[in-house]
Amino acid sequence: MSEAEIRELVVIGGGPGGYPAAFYAADLGMDVTLIDTEAKPGGVCLYRGCIPSKTLLHAAAVLQEAKAAEAFGLAFGEAKMDVDRLRAWKQAVVDKLTGGLGQLAQARKIRTVQGRARFEDAATVVVAKASGGEERIRFKAAILATGSEPVRLPGAPDSPRVMDSTGALALEDIPARLLVVGGGYIGLELGQAYAAFGSRVSVVEMLPQLMSGADPELAAPLLARLGGQFEAIRVKTRVLGMEATDTQVTVRLADEAGNECSETYDRVLVSVGRRPNTRGLGLEQTRVQLDDRGFVVTDAQRRTGEPSIFAVGDIAGQPMLAHKATHEGKVAVEAIAGRKAAFAPQAIPAVVFTYPEMAWTGLSEREAREKGFEITVARFPWGASGRAATLGGGDGLTKLIAEKTTGRVLGLGITGPGAGELIAEGTLAIEMGAVAEDLALAIHAHPTLSETVMEAAEGISGHPTHLFRRS
Ligand code: FAD
């Protein structure tokens, strides 16, 4: 092992928590070493998550748009899919973005080390290098950003036919029948992509509804659409066991009354959650603590119980989202640089990139009531939006939650095409302490879907032009 050099900052994990932290620290003049199992930064998000999934979902959305266009006289005939080219295109997108990050790291003079790191003590990491051998690095501060991995279903066979999200994104083929186990956003996004590519998709969920964490009103248009796209949606249903052959998987299911049945699929996608990557890191050599769900315990600066070690991203708690990881990474760097910084967002947006999209930010109606706020809720159905009509859809919804006495915006939820882009206005409004009237009085371009946010705000503070309520 080579002699240990003392580095100012070591970042372990090059995902959306780790690489922006490394980049920012280098911009602030720190001497930074970034360690990741891959040669280039990107993490799960770029290699096995956000980016490859959205690439496939874009292809799926094009297919669905093309089908929907028949309603206004455009017929393209039967779509032909070249799975090899689709896979290659997805890979090209991943390569372009991770390659770009590699160049940005180099330009910032960040030392990148490919390998797996573990703590030897509170000031030393040992890296088992991908090229062979070990390297010991001493540090003044470390940021731990090792992310998360898919939870395995107990008893699921070790078979390529039983996939996690990484396996599904590999797009080996388009199975004739696919079972998605788990009705959260990852399962629904990937299930919908495979359905658009031609698979007959079923989904099984233990809880009483799909997307159980989301506002049911916002989820309704998506669930209605999925009802037509998926072969079967089974809620309150458990997977009892699975048996795989070379070509198929037989799954035993039980409903809430205990009625059992067996179904056979060509592939199964298990998406029942993710767990923080804290194993094998040598945390026991430090004072880093885990909570009862396995997340690293941190303070508002993302400092762990070991003052020299910070933790950000999926290992530091919910929501496990890329943009939350990035924000935390920057807070940790500011704290290391001695600046006053704290992770204290008023709103963290969440987007489900299904067709239609769903997005929310700030408090949901239920959360606002649970927190004891007296609230006004305004809904603007997209059936009343001119832009939605020109796009051929009217089943979207914009829902604004405001504090009753002050009109302060507390939350925004949107379902419909482009919801993921539109939600930023709500996050900004909440962070700026805006009242609904601010959104209502800001001129929104016509005809755009952003007008639905303005009209929802008018529903709280005034009179929405395109809705009529008898007083
Ligand atoms: P990660 O991105 O998980 O990166 C951690 C990195 O650390 C990895 O490269 C890992 O190999 C490396 N590592 C682990 N252990 C070690 C070690 N001991 N030594 C060195 N390196 C190590 N989020 C969104 O916001 N929007 C989305 O649309 C979205 N879509 C998703 C779709 C899918 C299919 C999946 C699986 C996830 C999606 N996510 C999405 C979640 C998002 O990917 C994560 O929240 C995000 O990647 C977390 O970032 P991170 O920096 O904490 O860790």
Side-chain angles (χ1 to χ4, degrees), residues 16-18 20-21 24 300-302 312-313 321-334 341-348 431:
Y24 187 34
Q301 294 193 315
R302 292 304 177 250
V312 305
L321 292 171
H323 40 280
K324 173 262 193 184
T326 299
H327 192 79
E328 286 179 317
K330 292 188 173 172
V331 167
V333 168
E334 297 223 325
F343 183 74
Q346 297 300 302
I348 302 177
E431 287 290 351

Side-chain angles (χ1 to χ4, degrees), residues 13 16-17 36-37 43-44 49-50 54 115 117 145 147 185 274 281 313-314 320-322:
D36 194 89
T37 49
V44 166
C50 326
K54 267 79 250 183
Y185 85 93
R274 298 183 63 81
L281 285 173
D314 283 6
M320 289 200 201
L321 292 171

Side-chain angles (χ1 to χ4, degrees), residues 363 365-374:
L363 300 179
E365 181 180 353
R366 182 174 51 76
E367 286 166 342
R369 291 192 199 287
E370 279 171 7
K371 283 183 183 286
F373 283 103
E374 251 197 277

Side-chain angles (χ1 to χ4, degrees), residues 209-224:
Q209 75 163 60
L210 305 183
M211 286 303 305
S212 61
D215 180 335
E217 242 182 308
L218 293 173
L222 169 63
L223 298 186

Side-chain angles (χ1 to χ4, degrees), residues 12-18 35-38 42-45 48-50 53-54 115-118 145-148 165 169 185-186 189-190 274 277 281 312-315 320-323 325 351 353:
I12 305 171
I35 306 165
D36 194 89
T37 49
E38 302 279 348
V44 166
C45 182
R48 304 179 286 283
C50 326
S53 63
K54 267 79 250 183
R116 193 162 282 283
R118 65 176 194 279
T146 49
S148 62
S165 56
L169 288 168
Y185 85 93
I186 292 178
E189 286 184 1
L190 291 173
R274 298 183 63 81
N277 272 333
L281 285 173
V312 305
D314 283 6
I315 58 159
M320 289 200 201
L321 292 171
H323 40 280
V351 183
F353 290 84

Side-chain angles (χ1 to χ4, degrees), residues 117-191:
R118 65 176 194 279
F119 289 100
E120 197 174 65
D121 56 45
T124 318
V125 286
V126 176
V127 188
K129 292 174 83 167
S131 57
E134 288 195 334
E135 180 179 341
R136 177 177 285 124
I137 306 171
R138 291 185 61 75
F139 59 82
K140 290 186 188 154
I143 296 178
L144 191 54
T146 49
S148 62
E149 61 179 7
V151 170
R152 286 184 64 122
L153 200 62
D158 204 3
S159 155
R161 303 250 140 222
V162 180
M163 312 177 289
D164 58 18
S165 56
T166 307
L169 288 168
L171 200 70
E172 256 176 46
D173 57 19
I174 308 299
R177 291 193 79 201
L178 172 72
L179 175 69
V180 177
V181 182
Y185 85 93
I186 292 178
L188 296 188
E189 286 184 1
L190 291 173

